[in-house]
Amino acid sequence: MATKTVQSGSEVRNRKTSEKDKSPEKKKTEPVTSGSDGEEEENGRQPDDPIHVAQDSLLSHTSGFSNYRGFLNLCIVLLAMSSSRLVLENLIKYGILVDPIYFIKLFIEDPYSLPSGLLGMSINIFILLQFGNEILVSKDKISEQLSYALTVINCTVIATFPVIVITLVRPNPVGSFISLGMYTIGFMKIISYSVTNKWCRHALRETKADKKKEVKKDRRKKKSSKRSLEKNASEDEKTTEAKDADTITKENGAMVQQLKQEDLVHYPCNLNIKDLYYFMLAPTLVYQLNFPRTKRIRKRFLLRRIIEMIFLIQLSLGLIQQWIVPLITNAMKPFSDMDIFRMIERILKLAVPNHLIWLMFFYFYFHSFLNIMGELLRFADREFYQDWWNSETVGYFWQNWNIPVYRWCKRHVYKPMLRRGFSKFQANVMVFFLSAVGHEYLVSVPLHMFRLWAFMGMLMQVPLAFFVSAFLKHHYGNMAVWMSLIIGQPIAVLMYVHDYYILTYGS
């Protein structure tokens, strides 16, 4: 019986196979079952189902893998944990030192805070003196040479007057720093205002001289002999018709251009108090006759910037009271004893809070405050900074982190030196030298001491720029820029605070 069953099963399979052979079209449309031996042989797959192929590890540079976002998140988590530990350690060691109204009470109770305010308001005297100078020279009441001499004298007094007042009266260092900042900005703006108006005067005089030459040429043409006109009457008629057509075309083009630019201000119509003080308050250091303007003031945008500014000021002051002051106080003895290892430890400990405050200052001033001024004045050019955080060279950082100063230096220092035959290297060194003088001026005068730490720090940017550009590329250069910012500033801060402490309170 078993034999019969097997034979019947084989007969059934044979019948099915013959039926499939008889219907080839139906065979093509039937799905192929995976995993069969016939399919493996047809597709060339190995029966052990291999899964290994030749490939590099993801962390190898030859793998082509570049998505390390998880490691970035890990760094953020580790930074947050380490910062939390430092905050907790600070609170356990010193308690809560933050006093939100401490600085307000300091300025109210300090009798020497008033001179700083009066000193800041006194800058209007020098602004109006320069305005009178520009009015006189535009009306040819004084010569260009005398106007230039008066501008030099005015700028010299602007730079020296606050130094004399602060040295004699000795007001609060913070108020002195703010007043000096106002005078420095006024100094740079007055130079740009004077130079730009001088360019406009020369252009206006050249235009008048060109018109006079054209008038003389027309008179000479009218004095041509009548005999030549009679001989070439037909040619002259054609020529005059062509000239008339050209004249009409030029006049129509000028009218179109004038209609398009009828709202633009031209020299000397820009010489008025409203235009002058708009420039003095505008978030720019470079003067031009027509600034781009927005159509309206965005109230919500303005409110957000005001809230940001108030919050960041309070946060920065709180970090200074709670974090910076204790660290600096504890760093005095290692610096006095010249304990190298303790000095390095204090510098590294101060680097993090100092850099956080510097970043907050950048956002507070270059984004919040300058946008507030730009919005109130409807000043449309809001490019106060660019992506300096991606800097792969030192030069790129200084060109992009403070756009107003960079534009002023490029327009009034760098390009004039190139036009006078200086090399690009010499012009760059001069820009860094002036920047070093400005930094030392803003720090040494309020602290009543002359130590050159800021000056030397700025000049050291020149060899650092060459080193980074020559030996460090791409993200290594970016890391070097960040390291110079994080480590360099605490060193300068500790140097100045140590010297100020020694001079003020003794050794």
Side-chain angles (χ1 to χ4, degrees):
M1 295 294 292
T3 307
K4 290 182 180 178
T5 304
V6 170
Q7 290 177 354
S8 63
S10 61
E11 289 176 359
V12 171
R13 285 197 296 271
N14 292 333
R15 289 196 196 104
K16 289 183 179 179
T17 304
S18 61
E19 288 176 0
K20 290 180 181 179
D21 296 335
K22 291 180 182 178
S23 58
E25 294 180 0
K26 188 176 180 181
K27 181 180 180 181
K28 292 180 181 179
T29 58
E30 289 181 354
V32 179
T33 305
S34 61
S36 62
D37 297 337
E39 183 188 8
E40 290 180 357
E41 293 177 358
E42 289 176 0
N43 295 337
R45 292 181 58 183
Q46 301 178 13
D48 60 348
D49 194 15
I51 62 174
H52 296 286
V53 295
Q55 56 186 340
D56 293 325
S57 300
L58 286 184
L59 295 181
S60 301
H61 70 279
T62 56
S63 66
F65 184 78
S66 60
N67 185 8
Y68 300 102
R69 186 179 299 274
F71 284 109
L72 177 61
N73 295 333
L74 173 63
C75 293
I76 294 174
V77 171
L78 293 176
L79 178 62
M81 293 177 63
S82 61
S83 300
S84 301
R85 186 196 66 80
L86 292 175
V87 171
L88 185 60
E89 180 186 3
N90 182 276
L91 290 175
I92 294 173
K93 189 173 183 179
Y94 303 109
I96 298 177
L97 303 176
V98 177
D99 185 1
I101 61 174
Y102 170 76
F103 288 95
I104 298 176
K105 292 189 296 184
L106 180 65
F107 279 96
I108 294 176
E109 295 175 358
D110 188 0
Y112 294 103
S113 60
L114 182 61
S116 298
L118 296 176
L119 180 62
M121 290 187 291
S122 300
I123 194 174
N124 292 286
I125 299 174
F126 307 102
I127 294 173
L128 294 175
L129 287 175
Q130 187 62 36
F131 175 71
N133 181 9
E134 297 297 331
I135 291 291
L136 291 176
V137 72
S138 67
K139 296 180 178 180
D140 293 329
K141 300 294 183 180
I142 59 176
S143 63
E144 284 286 346
Q145 291 77 11
L146 180 58
S147 175
Y148 177 78
L150 292 176
T151 301
V152 172
I153 294 172
N154 191 26
C155 292
T156 304
V157 175
I158 290 175
T160 55
F161 176 72
V163 178
I164 297 173
V165 173
I166 291 172
T167 303
L168 295 178
V169 181
R170 301 182 73 85
N172 185 280
V174 178
S176 301
F177 175 79
I178 296 174
S179 298
L180 276 178
M182 294 175 59
Y183 272 81
T184 303
I185 293 173
F187 173 85
M188 299 172 75
K189 288 195 174 191
I190 285 176
I191 289 178
S192 183
Y193 185 74
S194 174
V195 172
T196 305
N197 283 321
K198 182 180 179 181
W199 293 343
C200 294
R201 281 195 303 273
H202 289 177
L204 183 62
R205 289 169 183 171
E206 290 178 358
T207 302
K208 291 181 178 180
D210 292 339
K211 288 183 178 180
K212 289 181 180 180
K213 291 180 180 179
E214 291 179 359
V215 171
K216 290 181 179 180
K217 289 181 180 180
D218 292 337
R219 289 177 180 177
R220 291 175 183 176
K221 290 180 180 179
K222 290 180 180 179
K223 290 181 180 180
S224 59
S225 62
K226 293 181 179 180
R227 295 178 181 178
S228 59
L229 290 173
E230 292 176 355
K231 291 180 180 178
N232 303 315
S234 60
E235 295 180 0
D236 289 339
E237 289 177 359
K238 295 180 181 179
T239 305
T240 52
E241 288 177 0
K243 287 183 178 180
D244 292 337
D246 292 340
T247 305
I248 292 171
T249 304
K250 291 178 181 178
E251 289 177 355
N252 291 336
M255 285 297 294
V256 171
Q257 188 176 6
Q258 186 176 0
L259 290 173
K260 289 182 179 180
Q261 298 183 359
E262 60 182 357
D263 295 332
L264 296 180
V265 178
H266 300 281
Y267 185 85
C269 298
N270 65 306
L271 298 178
N272 55 75
I273 295 294
K274 181 181 178 180
D275 180 88
L276 174 63
Y277 273 91
Y278 179 86
F279 170 58
M280 290 298 164
L281 295 174
T284 180
L285 298 175
V286 177
Y287 178 70
Q288 64 186 51
L289 274 64
N290 298 278
F291 290 104
R293 304 286 294 274
T294 57
K295 294 182 178 180
R296 62 182 180 87
I297 297 176
R298 297 170 293 176
K299 296 180 181 179
R300 291 184 179 179
F301 178 86
L302 183 63
L303 182 61
R304 286 197 297 268
R305 300 289 83 79
I306 293 174
I307 294 174
E308 288 174 357
M309 186 175 68
I310 295 173
F311 172 75
L312 289 175
I313 289 176
Q314 292 297 325
L315 182 60
S316 300
L317 295 178
L319 286 176
I320 291 173
Q321 291 176 320
Q322 185 68 41
W323 210 345
I324 299 293
V325 173
L327 287 176
I328 291 178
T329 303
N330 294 332
M332 291 300 100
K333 191 174 187 303
F335 272 77
S336 299
D337 298 339
M338 294 303 294
D339 188 347
I340 302 298
F341 293 103
R342 292 293 301 275
M343 289 169 58
I344 295 175
E345 186 266 340
R346 293 300 173 184
I347 290 172
L348 295 176
K349 203 170 185 179
L350 183 62
V352 174
N354 177 82
H355 194 67
L356 288 177
I357 291 175
W358 181 81
L359 289 175
M360 286 188 288
F361 166 78
F362 162 77
Y363 191 91
F364 147 72
Y365 185 78
F366 288 98
H367 186 74
S368 300
F369 177 73
L370 292 184
N371 268 295
I372 289 173
M373 298 301 298
E375 197 67 28
L376 291 174
L377 296 172
R378 296 194 296 114
F379 186 82
D381 186 4
R382 307 293 176 86
E383 191 182 35
F384 307 124
Y385 57 89
Q386 291 183 358
D387 60 333
W388 55 266
W389 47 87
N390 294 325
S391 302
E392 296 179 356
T393 62
V394 177
Y396 186 87
F397 168 79
W398 288 109
Q399 292 173 8
N400 292 277
W401 101 278
N402 190 342
I403 295 296
V405 172
Y406 168 71
R407 286 175 175 172
W408 188 92
C409 292
K410 185 177 180 180
R411 188 179 190 183
H412 299 296
V413 180
Y414 185 79
K415 287 185 176 180
M417 290 187 67
L418 294 182
R419 286 194 293 267
R420 295 187 179 185
F422 292 93
S423 64
K424 292 183 178 181
F425 174 77
Q426 292 172 328
N428 281 322
V429 171
M430 178 56 67
V431 169
F432 274 103
F433 175 80
L434 294 177
S435 180
V437 172
H439 280 76
E440 188 66 37
Y441 175 81
L442 290 173
V443 176
S444 294
V445 176
L447 297 178
H448 308 287
M449 61 182 187
F450 189 66
R451 289 296 184 271
L452 293 178
W453 299 121
F455 180 83
M456 293 171 61
M458 282 301 302
L459 285 187
M460 287 300 294
Q461 296 295 311
V462 178
L464 177 64
F466 279 101
F467 176 79
V468 173
S469 300
F471 300 103
L472 301 175
K473 303 296 183 182
H474 307 300
H475 59 278
Y476 295 107
N478 183 251
M479 294 170 62
V481 172
W482 278 114
M483 285 295 295
S484 66
L485 294 174
I486 295 172
I487 302 299
Q489 292 178 5
I491 295 175
V493 169
L494 288 176
M495 291 296 186
Y496 277 108
V497 172
H498 172 265
D499 294 346
Y500 181 77
Y501 184 86
I502 296 298
L503 290 175
T504 306
Y505 303 105
S507 59

